[in-house]
């Protein structure tokens, strides 16, 4: 099994600027690459690691032992970080890092069911203890809803055709494996000129839907705003345009960047809760992209918390 190479690690550390007396949340613990780097960069600091995948727990226990208890692991979703940290007696933090999406370990293990390249059970749940699997979704969702999921989260232009083929196939044989689903998709979507497997977009869509990844990201950003103390830092790494759009829209709204002049009678917008640390998203260097293909599409956005109170989060505000 491949281990996970942390993406944009140096850039995330620069954005977080960890301090020896600080408390940092690593909301996507994974293999602990970010947590380890923060613990090493600021001896004395404390890291709270969160991951919804039970497979992360033994890795976190090993890291906590290595760093004399300076790591606390909280199993769960980063979208619940306010509750998780409050329950652990931590009301405020100095930094929050999120590295969203799946890890190399999750993708590479056929039995997790994330990959169209490896045959395995059609699962795709990051938290294997609860929730609907991808098989449940493709076997039970109404054809039209399935098409909408594939279009929205996979940006698949052939979404209706794919949903039709899935609905027809499941009448004879319900889906149980990734191989079965990939071959039905490949039978109706042609390989694109750039060689991308036709199953890529539908698999992405199902993974995002099964794990409510966009909802989690929205709640995670709002949670970070609520937990960060003034001058605290937020660093978010995303891997595709759907996720990056959410982060960009949130930070644009919260920092007041791109705010035009007020029209007469228009209400004064609330004061910014974040200041952007860089106007543009940071991409990996050519060397990192070459060494780690998974890093190629990564983007980092980071911001500094102001002293203004957190705002209630309503996604409709910024979309
Ligand atoms: C890209 S990996 C993170 C890798 C990590 N930065 C490292 O260096 O090892 C993403 C991890 O976040 C976890 N994850 C994704 N979404 C999550 C969520 N909403 N709540 C908690 N964990 C999540 C996944 O289970 C996975 O282990």
């Amino acid at each position: 099994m491949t281990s996970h190479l942390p993406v944009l690690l140096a850039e995330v550390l620069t954005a977080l600027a960890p301090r020896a007396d600080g408390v940092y949340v690593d909301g996507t613990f994974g293999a602990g690459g970010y947590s380890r780097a923060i613990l090493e960069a600021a001896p004395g600091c404390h890291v709270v690691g969160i991951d919804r995948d039970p497979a992360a727990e033994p890795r976190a226990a090993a890291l906590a032992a290595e760093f004399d208890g300076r790591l606390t692991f909280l199993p769960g979703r980063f979208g619940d970080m306010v509750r998780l940290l409050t329950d652990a007696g931590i009301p405020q933090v100095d930094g929050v890092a999120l590295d969203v999406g799946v890890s190399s370990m999750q993708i590479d293990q056929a039995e997790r069911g994330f990959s169209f390249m490896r045959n395995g059970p059609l699962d795709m749940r990051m938290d294997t203890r609860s929730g609907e699997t991808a098989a449940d979704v493709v076997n039970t969702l109404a054809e039209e809803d399935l098409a909408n999921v594939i279009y929205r989260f996979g940006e698949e232009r052939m979404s209706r055709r794919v949903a039709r083929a899935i609905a027809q196939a499941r009448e004879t044989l319900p889906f149980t494996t990734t191989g079965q689903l990939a071959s039905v998709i490949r039978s109706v979507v042609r390989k694109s000129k750039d060689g991308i497997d036709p199953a890529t977009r539908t698999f992405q869509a199902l993974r995002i839907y099964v794990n409510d990844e966009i909802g989690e990201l929205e709640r995670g950003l709002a949670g970070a705003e609520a937990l960060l103390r003034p001058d605290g830092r937020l660093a978010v790494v995303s891997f595709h345009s759907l996720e990056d759009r959410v982060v960009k829209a949130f930070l644009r709204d919260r920092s007041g960047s791109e705010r035009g002049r007020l029209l007469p009678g228009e209400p004064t917008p609330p004061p910014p809760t974040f200041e952007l640390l860089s106007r543009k998203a940071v991409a990996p260097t050519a060397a990192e992209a070459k060494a780690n293909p998974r890093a190629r599409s990564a983007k980092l956005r980071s911001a500094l918390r102001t002293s203004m109170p957190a705002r209630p989060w309503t996604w409709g505000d910024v979309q």
Side-chain angles (χ1 to χ4, degrees), residues 7-253:
V7 170
L8 286 166
L9 181 60
E11 293 81 352
V12 167
L13 273 187
T14 303
L16 287 179
R19 293 191 332 233
D21 58 351
V23 176
Y24 296 89
V25 175
D26 176 359
T28 49
F29 182 83
Y34 286 6
S35 288
R36 169 182 289 281
I38 298 166
L39 289 163
E40 280 171 354
C45 79
H46 198 91
V47 173
V48 180
I50 299 174
D51 204 298
R52 71 206 292 195
D53 185 345
E57 292 174 23
R59 295 193 286 264
L63 201 65
E66 190 182 332
F67 283 88
D68 296 327
R70 287 203 287 129
L71 174 84
T72 302
F73 183 73
L74 302 176
R77 299 168 168 227
F78 63 65
D80 287 335
M81 70 171 86
V82 174
R83 185 182 57 76
L84 290 171
L85 270 87
T86 309
D87 288 353
I90 306 169
Q92 268 198 325
V93 299
D94 299 278
V96 174
L98 296 176
D99 176 18
V100 295
V102 276
S103 67
S104 309
M105 292 84 69
Q106 289 166 333
I107 286 275
D108 290 348
Q109 280 180 291
E111 67 271 24
R112 300 297 302 265
F114 285 104
S115 174
F116 50 82
M117 308 219 283
R118 293 175 177 79
N119 195 26
L122 189 54
D123 191 325
M124 299 198 194
R125 289 170 306 163
M126 292 181 191
D127 180 353
T128 43
R129 291 168 293 208
S130 64
E132 275 192 323
T133 65
D136 295 332
V137 172
V138 293
N139 288 327
T140 60
L141 211 59
E143 182 183 326
E144 193 185 336
D145 295 337
L146 198 52
N148 291 339
V149 165
I150 296 170
Y151 183 74
R152 174 157 180 230
F153 298 134
E155 299 180 313
E156 170 59 87
R157 284 185 305 116
M158 304 289 175
S159 56
R160 300 211 171 279
R161 195 187 286 185
V162 174
R164 182 91 278 260
I166 291 174
Q168 273 169 353
R170 73 189 180 194
E171 274 175 27
T172 12
L173 187 65
F175 286 90
T176 56
T177 68
T178 52
Q180 205 184 342
L181 178 63
S183 79
V184 166
I185 302 166
R186 288 177 190 134
S187 72
V188 291
V189 183
R190 257 197 261 131
K191 205 172 193 155
S192 55
K193 283 194 200 97
D194 50 17
I196 288 180
D197 190 299
T200 310
R201 292 177 292 277
T202 298
F203 268 64
Q204 173 187 302
L206 288 170
R207 194 201 87 201
I208 292 177
Y209 181 77
V210 162
N211 296 291
D212 186 19
E213 290 180 45
I214 302 298
E216 272 298 298
L217 185 52
E218 292 170 9
R219 290 186 289 277
L221 293 168
E225 182 187 54
L227 284 171
L228 282 168
R229 65 174 99 247
D231 287 333
R233 285 154 174 261
L234 171 68
V236 187
V237 174
S238 63
F239 289 87
H240 51 75
S241 55
L242 281 178
E243 295 163 346
D244 184 52
R245 246 178 265 154
V246 173
V247 184
K248 188 176 171 187
F250 176 83
L251 288 178
R252 191 190 329 141
D253 181 64

Side-chain angles (χ1 to χ4, degrees), residues 271-295:
T273 55
F274 279 103
E275 250 170 61
L276 300 183
L277 282 167
S278 71
R279 195 146 270 286
K280 284 189 145 191
V282 175
T285 58
E288 180 176 7
K290 193 165 171 226
N292 182 10
R294 215 182 73 84

